[in-house]
Amino acid sequence: TVFKNVYYRGVVPGASNIPPRARRLKRTRRNFVTWPGFEMSNGGSRIFIQSTRPLTYSRADEPGRIVIVLERAHIHLRNNRNPLVTEHFNTPVSEAYLRRVRNTTRLVIEMKVNATASIRQVSQDGYHFLFVEFPGGNYPIPEGVRRGYRLGERQRIQRSRKSDDKAVAPLI
């Protein structure tokens, strides 16, 4: 992993970190996605998800994105729906996120540029990982990206103490 000297409490494939509040899920019959993640390596990058059971999946790609449909999989925690923003890394992926659609969960990977993705599953320490791997290369950082935000997209709402009026100011 990239963070060798920093304590990281999240899931790292190959380590024995247990996802938050997941011990009780092992006893259920349902399949839960317990952790989405992103890793850089010398040979490229990868998006991964950890689940309590092996995943049945298919691809339903759209222009500019890779969509992996996970059959009968549920998202364990609301926080697991937050996007993995990767646009600042040397990867073809801009961001990835999980969404529940009917009886499926979708892993949506927004792409900066078209790239070939390979998919594989691995079982480890009682959990199952689905890896979506991308080759190394020189990938662009989109224009207008500064301090983790695309300029003009994200804003912070500031409340005035004198009134309940909301003033909107860019988060920079």
Side-chain angles (χ1 to χ4, degrees), residues 38-41 43-47 90-93 132-136:
F38 169 76
E39 284 187 317
M40 290 294 300
S41 66
S45 60
R46 67 183 177 185
I47 300 290
N90 186 20
T91 177
V93 178
V132 183
E133 298 175 316
F134 299 93

Side-chain angles (χ1 to χ4, degrees), residues 15-118:
S16 59
N17 300 22
I18 297 172
R21 294 186 265 167
R23 290 182 197 269
R24 68 175 183 251
L25 297 178
K26 303 287 279 178
R27 291 178 252 146
T28 67
R29 290 184 181 178
R30 295 174 124 183
N31 193 1
F32 285 94
V33 173
T34 55
W35 192 268
F38 169 76
E39 284 187 317
M40 290 294 300
S41 66
N42 293 335
S45 60
R46 67 183 177 185
I47 300 290
F48 68 89
I49 56 173
Q50 181 190 52
S51 63
T52 55
R53 307 218 183 294
L55 293 162
T56 302
Y57 67 91
S58 62
R59 284 182 69 162
D61 295 354
E62 299 171 4
R65 63 174 57 144
I66 294 172
V67 180
I68 299 172
V69 180
L70 309 169
E71 299 295 328
R72 296 189 198 119
H74 303 273
I75 302 170
H76 174 50
L77 299 174
R78 185 175 59 207
N79 188 52
N80 292 343
R81 296 174 194 255
N82 289 337
L84 301 168
V85 180
T86 61
E87 62 191 5
H88 296 284
F89 294 91
N90 186 20
T91 177
V93 178
S94 176
E95 70 177 8
Y97 51 90
L98 293 168
R99 289 295 176 264
R100 186 85 176 134
V101 179
R102 294 183 198 95
N103 198 26
T104 65
T105 294
R106 295 179 184 224
L107 172 61
V108 180
I109 303 172
E110 303 283 350
M111 304 297 291
K112 292 187 226 178
V113 296
N114 287 333
T116 304
S118 62

